[in-house]
Amino acid sequence: MSDATPHPSHGFFRELFESVFRLPETRHSDPDAPESIGLCRQILRKKPFLRQMYQDYYQYFVREHQAVSHLSGACLEIGSGGGFLKDILPNVLTSDVCPDPGLDRVVHSEKLDFPDESLRAIFLLNVLHHLPDPEAFFNEANRCLVRGGRLVMIEPYRSWWSRVFYRFLHHEPFDDQAPAWTVEGQGRLHRANIAVPWIIFWRDRQRFESLWPALRIRSLERHTVFKYLISGGVSWRALLPGGAYPVVHALDDLLSKCPRVFSIFQTIVIEKQ
């Protein structure tokens, strides 16, 4: 049975989990509405465990930002939502498809409003698997990045554990048998296939490399095991207080040494040649 046609019990477990752990303020909110960006920002402020996880993820961006610091051009985050990357990298332009007072501009991935070779870095955190047309985005990234510039994405990864987590407990679709990279559906967040980053960079890597020979994959670093689930994301209650984060983080680092079994996220670094 394909993941596109989940067993009825999958929906039962997901509904049971959400009924117990769903944050009250998100029960009736529309994640695709522009005001959801502000709500996400508020939730990140009041959830210490989740905020620490974001800070760790942003360190991947800091590392690659430093690697291209000698290049000219702007740095852009796509799909910033309620995140706080600008607190850590103040010169990064933040963006989303919806206007928000906390963001610098509105940007659509399939048509970036930037001149050719004008960006030295593009950052995405949990965004690629929501894009309706990844090929159009990679065309635009290839056009806008300067030589030596980097595209850095933190996205879901398909492992044994992540298949269990994404199929049974996560609300977004997971179809690792999808023949195409495109994502169906409507809305900023409702449109998704969590498996798309794995499909592009693992199953279909040769196709990616043939389509964009100038976009060289520098690294695919797999990580995160339990801390995302424990954080509750921006929709669920955290399962542990913020003080437990260092212990969970250390456990994640240990289990991530077996990434094909445990890792549920990956950091993808691509360099424009």
Side-chain angles (χ1 to χ4, degrees):
M1 178 182 292
S2 167
D3 288 339
T5 310
H7 190 278
S9 64
H10 299 179
F12 169 78
F13 284 113
R14 191 176 299 121
E15 289 177 12
L16 178 63
F17 186 86
E18 292 204 5
S19 69
V20 175
F21 294 106
R22 189 84 176 183
L23 288 171
E25 57 266 48
T26 66
R27 289 184 187 275
H28 304 293
S29 65
D30 179 3
D32 294 327
E35 54 268 24
S36 70
I37 294 176
L39 176 60
C40 174
R41 190 173 293 118
Q42 293 173 18
I43 291 171
L44 271 170
R45 285 198 192 103
K46 75 175 191 179
K47 295 185 67 177
F49 196 105
L50 177 64
R51 189 171 181 87
Q52 289 180 78
M53 188 184 74
Y54 265 68
Q55 288 172 338
D56 275 348
Y57 284 174
Y58 286 152
Q59 291 310 304
Y60 290 105
F61 294 160
V62 170
R63 179 186 69 188
E64 301 306 325
H65 180 269
Q66 292 171 343
V68 298
S69 60
H70 63 289
L71 301 175
S72 62
C75 296
L76 171 69
E77 183 186 24
I78 294 177
S80 304
F84 55 94
L85 180 60
K86 206 173 186 70
D87 292 350
I88 298 172
L89 295 174
N91 67 339
V92 169
L93 295 172
T94 54
S95 72
D96 213 299
V97 295
C98 300
D100 180 84
L103 301 177
D104 293 317
R105 60 199 300 174
V106 173
V107 167
H108 295 277
S109 63
E110 67 274 13
K111 190 170 178 58
L112 299 180
D113 188 20
F114 292 89
D116 294 357
E117 299 189 351
S118 61
L119 299 175
R120 59 190 165 107
I122 303 174
F123 303 119
L124 291 83
L125 174 55
N126 257 341
V127 173
L128 178 64
H129 67 277
H130 290 286
L131 300 185
D133 189 350
E135 287 193 35
F137 165 64
F138 291 127
N139 285 335
E140 284 293 273
N142 188 41
R143 178 182 67 80
C144 292
L145 283 171
V146 302
R147 291 185 183 276
R150 295 189 181 180
L151 169 61
V152 189
M153 299 170 283
I154 300 175
E155 291 289 333
Y157 171 72
R158 174 189 178 272
S159 67
W160 174 85
W161 161 232
S162 72
R163 281 172 60 89
V164 173
F165 171 63
Y166 290 134
R167 291 179 67 188
F168 286 90
L169 297 177
H170 206 278
H171 63 281
E172 293 175 358
F174 177 90
D175 181 9
D176 56 358
Q177 302 301 314
W181 299 356
T182 52
V183 178
E184 303 298 329
Q186 298 295 322
R188 171 174 160 267
L189 294 177
H190 276 124
R191 178 184 56 232
N193 178 8
I194 293 177
V196 160
W198 175 82
I199 289 172
I200 294 174
F201 294 105
W202 295 86
R203 190 192 76 184
D204 295 347
R205 176 169 177 165
Q206 287 187 336
R207 180 174 177 237
F208 177 90
E209 292 173 334
S210 66
L211 287 173
W212 298 282
L215 296 180
R216 182 171 70 89
I217 300 173
R218 284 185 58 90
S219 63
L220 299 170
E221 183 178 347
R222 297 165 289 185
H223 53 83
T224 307
V225 181
F226 295 119
K227 64 186 179 186
Y228 176 75
L229 173 62
I230 291 171
S231 78
V234 295
S235 299
W236 306 335
R237 304 176 193 271
L239 304 183
L240 290 174
Y245 184 84
V247 175
V248 179
H249 178 68
L251 177 62
D252 270 21
D253 281 351
L254 178 63
L255 293 177
S256 291
K257 297 182 186 301
C258 299
R260 295 180 64 182
V261 178
F262 292 114
S263 294
I264 68 170
F265 277 94
Q266 59 183 325
T267 297
I268 304 152
V269 179
I270 296 171
E271 184 175 276
K272 167 81 172 288
Q273 302 298 294

